[in-house]
Amino acid sequence: TIKVSHTQSPLITIYRGLFRTVAFAGMAQLYREILSQHPDSRFAIVSSSPPAIRRKIESFLALHSFPKAHLTLRDWMRQPSVLKYKFRALHKLVRASPHPVILVGDDTEHDPEVFARLAKRFPEKIVAIYVRSVKGRELPPGARSFFTAFDIACAENAAGRLQNDQVLRVGEALLRVERSLIPWFSMLPPVSFLPFLNHPDEAMMDLWRKIQVKLQALSEKKRKKRR
């Protein structure tokens, strides 16, 4: 979950891989904060994009200040099944990892099912599963849906893996984004939605209120378009 792509077909995947440069708001900052707690860990990306656009992806990651990544791409000729490809690629990474693993994906394709299978296979290694709500699908047990990077930062704070100041930096990164915090094709959080706050301080709550204002503005904009 790094780039706004809204994949609908192989041709669209290639086109957006080559020409789209829009990153999910706040995710680069979130990944940097998580990795800063464990300098010897690594950031791994498993993508269905073809190896032909590897350099474009690497340029995109550098442009948006994502951490240096171990990048796995799919050979469409030899790996026609996205489901099998993702499971095998992630299985290999999780099995080889000497550290606990956090899985982040979305609910547009097979991520929830793949993550659930991996959690059963490696219950002692996978400490968190976060799935971005795009379609609003029902998730397997143990998976948490999220809407923005701030939600994950709050959950990691509640789990004791991120400090309050790190959560604030992720939230501030979100507020610096001038475009919508959530892509136009994604579902919006319910009015009653709260991020996974445990014992937030006043600064965190103040930041959440500011983020909520931006989310509500997007919701109102969507309602006007439907009229």
Side-chain angles (χ1 to χ4, degrees):
T1 301
I2 57 172
K3 190 174 187 177
V4 178
S5 58
H6 193 34
T7 303
Q8 295 174 351
S9 73
L11 290 177
I12 291 176
T13 298
I14 294 175
Y15 173 81
R16 287 179 171 150
L18 288 170
F19 303 112
R20 288 295 298 274
T21 58
V22 180
F24 278 112
M27 295 304 290
Q29 184 71 41
L30 171 70
Y31 293 139
R32 290 200 303 271
E33 297 295 345
I34 292 174
L35 290 171
S36 71
Q37 299 292 92
H38 308 279
D40 58 338
S41 60
R42 68 174 177 173
F43 176 48
I45 298 173
V46 174
S47 170
S48 292
S49 298
I53 63 172
R54 176 179 291 272
R55 288 189 179 181
K56 285 288 183 179
I57 296 174
E58 291 171 343
S59 296
F60 171 87
L61 295 172
L63 175 67
H64 293 283
S65 301
F66 280 91
K68 185 176 180 181
H70 172 85
L71 188 59
T72 302
L73 302 176
R74 179 168 69 99
D75 184 328
W76 291 4
M77 296 297 291
R78 297 180 180 179
Q79 300 163 308
S81 169
V82 175
L83 177 61
K84 290 181 180 179
Y85 156 73
K86 283 192 172 183
F87 178 76
R88 290 171 181 170
L90 286 167
H91 186 280
K92 181 178 179 181
L93 288 169
V94 175
R95 183 179 59 188
S97 175
H99 306 290
V101 175
I102 297 171
L103 298 174
V104 183
D106 60 48
D107 66 0
T108 58
E109 289 186 325
H110 307 292
D111 291 358
E113 292 76 20
V114 169
F115 292 175
R117 287 175 63 189
L118 290 168
K120 287 183 179 179
R121 191 71 60 91
F122 302 101
E124 75 291 348
K125 273 193 175 182
I126 296 174
V127 296
I129 296 174
Y130 299 111
V131 179
R132 182 188 297 279
S133 282
V134 178
K135 296 182 177 180
R137 290 171 53 197
E138 184 176 351
L139 299 182
R144 284 181 164 178
S145 63
F146 75 98
F147 297 93
T148 73
F150 186 71
D151 305 345
I152 295 181
C154 290
E156 287 298 293
N157 176 261
R161 292 189 288 266
L162 281 187
Q163 302 301 312
N164 286 19
D165 60 325
Q166 295 181 290
V167 177
L168 292 176
R169 285 196 288 270
V170 174
E172 288 160 358
L174 270 179
L175 292 177
R176 287 195 297 270
V177 173
E178 295 182 1
R179 65 181 185 278
S180 298
L181 299 186
I182 296 176
W184 64 268
F185 52 83
S186 295
M187 70 174 294
L188 294 172
V191 175
S192 59
F193 174 77
L194 283 171
F196 311 109
L197 296 165
N198 191 7
H199 299 293
D201 58 23
E202 184 54 37
M204 288 169 64
M205 287 303 301
D206 182 59
L207 196 60
W208 165 240
R209 285 189 284 266
K210 292 177 181 178
I211 292 170
Q212 197 172 29
V213 167
K214 295 191 75 170
L215 291 173
Q216 289 172 347
L218 177 59
S219 180
E220 181 62 27
K221 187 177 179 181
K222 278 196 169 188
R223 279 197 295 269
K224 287 180 179 178
K225 283 186 176 180
R226 294 193 195 105
R227 293 173 187 170

